[in-house]
Amino acid sequence: MATTGLPRSTPADVSRVTESLEMIAPRWSAWILMTLSAQPLRYAEIKPRLPWLKDGTLHPKLGKLTDAGLVERTEIAPGHVTYGLTGRGADLMPVLTVIAAWGEAHLEKPLVRNKATGELERATQVAPAQNIEDTLALLGPRHATPLLWALKARGASSAKALAAEAMPGYRLSNVYPQLDRLVEDGLVRKDGIVFELTANGQALAPVYRALSVWAAGRPLADADTHPLWGQTPSPAQARSGPWLTTPSRLPAPAAPAAPAAAPALSTHAPATTWKAGDLFSHQIPARPLSLPSAGGPRR
């Protein structure tokens, strides 16, 4: 068997991380989880906090997050049901903080209109939930994480080698669209027939090591010991290269004022919470569009 730079535990590690991304990457999942991070809420309390969600969208998404073990549905009394984070969902909150930080540092800020001058200018910051969702849109596609993982382990590699490592059982031709999307997303560069991680791709180290320990059920404090992503990127890797972009956004309704806090009804205390003002921070007067399924510019 050919040897690679991947640690022996990597296949299971990548599989767990990929499955975790499948849970949290679907659109609006991050917004819902963060909305529930402070306390359990009734459906009628959640919906006004996410006013742009279409009718009929929230309930199935809550159901999927419940099935994934991240949200718990509690029937207090007939007709009185609350939704809150499970212990597993609460443990995810610090991981989402790491993902939000990567998005804030590496994704291009959207254009917003200055109320005073009427001119379009770059936002200074983006709401944490939006940074999380936009980052997950880059990592969530089926083969994105295995390919990035293989490039981290192998260094500069050919498409053939990457296909064998990250997409066994697929034809070689199937790897090229996946790599092209990662190149367009700014996480991978191509030099002739060789592919390698960009500085932005290398800087995913904190994100992947945080996802890895959470997926394995280990504390976030163990993240720095990850055998592949544990090394902290150099300052040049941490912030260099062009900003990654996503599609422009459409106007969204302003976030409503948060209702008075109710007593927590769950026995699981979230490890990290966001106030409503944090969730919709900086009042960006825009909402995300559906991201392309195969490459294209980002934010």
Side-chain angles (χ1 to χ4, degrees):
M1 179 182 294
T3 60
T4 71
L6 291 168
R8 295 182 63 182
S9 61
T10 292
D13 200 7
V14 173
S15 178
R16 286 194 298 262
V17 170
T18 301
E19 290 174 0
S20 298
L21 287 168
E22 289 176 355
M23 295 181 194
I24 62 177
R27 198 173 186 221
W28 304 120
S29 295
W31 296 85
I32 294 169
L33 290 169
M34 291 176 68
T35 300
L36 298 176
S37 66
Q39 64 190 44
L41 298 170
R42 300 180 69 170
Y43 182 94
E45 295 172 316
I46 302 170
K47 188 67 175 71
R49 301 181 187 213
L50 303 171
W52 50 77
L53 273 177
K54 295 180 180 179
D55 290 341
T57 301
L58 177 58
H59 192 271
K61 290 190 175 295
L62 283 169
K64 288 184 178 180
L65 291 171
T66 299
D67 291 342
L70 303 177
V71 169
E72 59 185 352
R73 181 183 184 274
T74 303
E75 185 170 353
I76 306 300
H80 184 175
V81 174
T82 63
Y83 295 88
L85 297 185
T86 62
R88 188 81 172 128
D91 290 342
L92 180 62
M93 293 298 102
V95 178
L96 294 186
T97 301
V98 175
I99 298 172
W102 187 91
E104 183 66 24
H106 295 274
L107 294 177
E108 186 178 30
K109 306 297 188 296
L111 290 173
V112 296
R113 193 169 298 280
N114 186 306
K115 292 182 180 180
T117 65
E119 299 293 328
L120 289 175
E121 56 187 38
R122 292 289 173 192
T124 57
Q125 288 181 297
V126 175
Q130 187 61 62
N131 276 321
I132 295 166
E133 183 170 271
D134 289 348
T135 300
L136 293 176
L138 301 179
L139 307 182
R142 184 175 183 184
H143 300 293
T145 286
L147 285 169
L148 293 169
W149 214 279
L151 280 167
K152 175 66 174 176
R154 300 178 62 92
S157 303
S158 67
K160 183 177 181 180
L162 292 170
E165 189 73 61
M167 298 175 60
Y170 286 83
R171 293 182 178 178
L172 175 60
S173 59
N174 290 335
V175 77
Y176 289 104
Q178 313 301 326
L179 288 169
D180 288 343
R181 180 182 51 75
L182 292 171
V183 170
E184 292 179 21
D185 289 345
L187 301 176
V188 172
R189 71 167 58 90
K190 182 180 180 181
D191 184 6
I193 63 171
V194 173
F195 297 85
E196 62 181 335
L197 292 179
T198 63
N200 289 322
Q202 293 282 359
L204 284 168
V207 171
Y208 274 137
R209 64 195 187 204
L211 283 167
S212 175
V213 295
W214 179 80
R218 295 162 53 200
L220 193 59
D222 290 350
D224 290 344
T225 64
H226 193 276
L228 183 63
W229 296 97
Q231 183 177 1
T232 301
S234 68
Q237 291 175 330
R239 173 58 267 163
S240 65
W243 293 102
L244 307 186
T245 60
T246 59
S248 59
R249 300 169 181 171
L250 294 176
L265 299 176
S266 170
T267 58
H268 303 294
T272 303
T273 62
W274 284 268
K275 297 177 294 185
D278 295 330
L279 177 62
F280 302 101
S281 60
H282 321 305
Q283 296 300 312
I284 303 168
R287 59 177 288 180
L289 296 171
S290 296
L291 297 176
S293 58
R298 303 286 177 182
R299 195 165 77 202

